[in-house]
Amino acid sequence: MVQAEARRSVDMVGLMARTLSGIKPTGPLTLGRYLGAVRHWVDEQSSGEAFYFVADLHALTTVQEPGEVAARTVELATLLVAAGVDPQRGSTVFVQSHVRQHAEMTFMLECVTSFGELRRMTQFKDKSGEQDFVSGGLLTYPVLMAVDILLYGIERVPVGDDQRQHLELTRTIAQRFNSRYGDTFVLPEAVVPPVAARIKDLQDPTRKMSASSTAGPGVIDMLDPVDDIVKKIRRATTDTVGSVAYDAEKQPGVSNLLDILGACTDEDPEKLAERYDGYGQLKADCADAVLDVVRPIQDRYRELERSGAMSSLLADGAKHASGIAELAIRRAQANRGLWTG
Ligand code: TYM
């Protein structure tokens, strides 16, 4: 009975366009994460059913202070809603660890992922080099990410450019499971924005603006005081070329500012470049455009914090997500050949 129900549900999932994405509570919501991912989540939610979650288990792959993970989890979830990810517009918002099926399904899919595939992942190579203690979780993390997606029969995954490789592995794992054990998982696609897919650090524009625990001078935290945001943009590294061109190779700092301005104003960065002949005006306009985006999100964030609405919103989200995930896991267990009673 349960299996028939599970099969029917997953078959239906295959017919519906579902979107999902996640964010790790390892640091603030940076302007990069917002422009590269979160604001597209808001657009995607109107085109079908959507699932957005805070990937708190993913934060455990590197050593984090326990209190910090919890505080960042609530902060990020509140910011998602403040940015417009809205349960009333069809989005299910939840915290990954509240849906136990994510961890449960991971082991089964680790068994169809090879050690070589995991060892070759760019993020593993980069991050393992930075850690004194390289955890097994850091290696198997991409399988947990695949599970996040495959549990919900997702077709569209809006992410920044750095997540492409993880999406490719997700498809490989799903295809391998389907071909060995029968049609079980929907194959997802990465949806990467054409502009601002990789916002760079303002001080070192050869590196991505990353979300490590504190936002330094090259990183804008969406909750930074507005004066700090203006200062960070004013002090952004440019170059000595003296003219404005959209050329990431020759003028990475200037191109990054054009990307940010273009993403905030929905304009083409290449065309924007033609309007400027000096860096000062570009920085001033970039700061104005960023503040126009940031201010309403900060206001809504404070309101949500005061209202205390997040706990029940996240509990409802986790309940809805668990219902779907449970059916998917039972189907996968049955197809894989576990005795399901
Ligand atoms: P995370 O938390 O590192 O980043 C969240 C999202 O923001 C995008 N992003 C950026 N985009 C443009 N410029 C930047 N500088 C920048 N920095 C980050 C990322 O591409 C991402 O889309 N593994 C994921 C979280 C995750 C997930 C998932 C995503 C867990 N499970 C399932 C999709 C589906 C991560 O670490 O993202």
Side-chain angles (χ1 to χ4, degrees):
M1 171 64 194
V2 168
Q3 268 181 35
E5 196 189 326
R7 198 170 305 270
R8 209 164 37 246
S9 153
V10 175
D11 287 345
M12 280 177 59
V13 165
L15 297 174
M16 286 161 51
R18 277 188 175 168
T19 302
L20 168 142
S21 203
I23 186 160
K24 269 191 322 254
T26 45
L29 180 63
T30 63
L31 183 67
R33 295 162 112 191
Y34 173 73
L35 293 178
V38 173
R39 74 187 184 121
H40 302 286
W41 302 1
V42 177
D43 300 337
E44 288 280 340
Q45 71 192 343
S46 6
S47 55
E49 206 183 349
F51 298 80
Y52 297 119
F53 66 97
V54 180
D56 59 343
L57 295 174
H58 288 257
L60 308 183
T61 55
T62 52
V63 180
Q64 304 278 332
E65 291 302 323
E68 195 186 334
V69 176
R72 285 288 185 202
T73 298
V74 182
E75 180 186 292
L76 279 180
T78 310
L79 271 166
L80 296 187
V81 178
V85 172
D86 186 353
Q88 295 189 336
R89 288 169 61 200
S91 282
T92 299
V93 185
F94 63 98
V95 174
Q96 185 185 35
S97 66
H98 296 179
V99 182
R100 59 168 178 72
Q101 290 85 355
H102 289 242
E104 195 180 332
M105 176 87 113
T106 298
F107 187 75
M108 201 179 348
L109 293 196
E110 276 171 11
C111 295
V112 289
T113 312
S114 76
F115 175 59
E117 281 166 334
L118 293 172
R119 200 182 37 188
R120 283 194 295 274
M121 298 303 283
T122 310
Q123 273 200 14
F124 176 71
K125 287 197 272 186
D126 292 349
K127 292 208 173 154
S128 56
E130 294 163 6
Q131 314 287 325
D132 293 331
F133 177 83
V134 179
S135 70
L138 189 64
L139 180 73
T140 58
Y141 160 105
V143 186
L144 179 58
M145 178 160 163
V147 167
D148 296 339
I149 299 166
L150 299 176
L151 274 176
Y152 301 96
I154 300 301
E155 287 167 337
R156 295 171 64 80
V157 185
V159 282
D161 189 48
D162 60 336
Q163 299 297 319
R164 278 184 199 275
Q165 197 186 28
H166 288 149
L167 261 294
E168 276 160 29
L169 183 68
T170 302
R171 289 174 64 89
T172 304
I173 293 172
Q175 264 163 334
R176 187 173 296 140
F177 193 101
N178 287 352
S179 76
R180 286 188 188 168
Y181 308 114
D183 212 15
T184 310
F185 297 120
V186 173
L187 299 191
E189 299 274 355
V191 181
V192 179
V195 175
R198 200 177 281 241
I199 295 289
K200 306 290 184 350
D201 187 287
L202 296 172
Q203 290 297 314
D204 177 359
T206 58
R207 284 179 31 212
K208 144 179 132 164
M209 183 182 282
S210 82
S212 50
S213 54
T214 47
V219 176
I220 293 175
D221 174 346
M222 295 294 285
L223 291 176
D224 271 343
V226 291
D227 291 348
D228 290 6
I229 295 180
V230 174
K231 262 186 233 149
K232 286 179 182 181
I233 295 176
R234 204 183 298 136
R235 291 179 189 157
T237 302
T238 46
D239 48 55
T240 52
V241 177
S243 60
V244 175
Y246 187 62
D247 182 336
E249 291 280 301
K250 295 201 186 97
Q251 295 188 263
V254 170
S255 302
N256 192 35
L257 291 170
L258 287 165
D259 260 336
I260 294 173
L261 178 60
C264 290
T265 57
D266 276 328
E267 289 185 81
D268 175 6
E270 214 162 331
K271 292 222 175 77
L272 280 171
E274 293 164 11
R275 285 193 211 153
Y276 295 94
D277 43 24
Y279 302 149
Q281 194 56 45
L282 171 61
K283 286 180 171 179
D285 288 357
C286 186
D288 284 347
V290 170
L291 292 192
D292 284 348
V293 168
V294 164
R295 274 205 189 96
I297 296 177
Q298 291 194 350
D299 292 346
R300 180 94 183 98
Y301 177 85
R302 308 280 171 228
E303 266 171 45
L304 281 163
E305 251 192 334
R306 274 195 298 274
S307 75
M310 285 309 295
S311 296
S312 71
L313 188 153
L314 292 173
D316 290 350
K319 194 166 165 221
H320 179 63
S322 302
I324 297 169
E326 184 58 22
L327 295 174
I329 208 168
R330 288 191 202 179
R331 180 173 191 196
Q333 285 172 336
N335 288 359
R336 178 63 187 83
L338 295 179
W339 186 60
T340 49

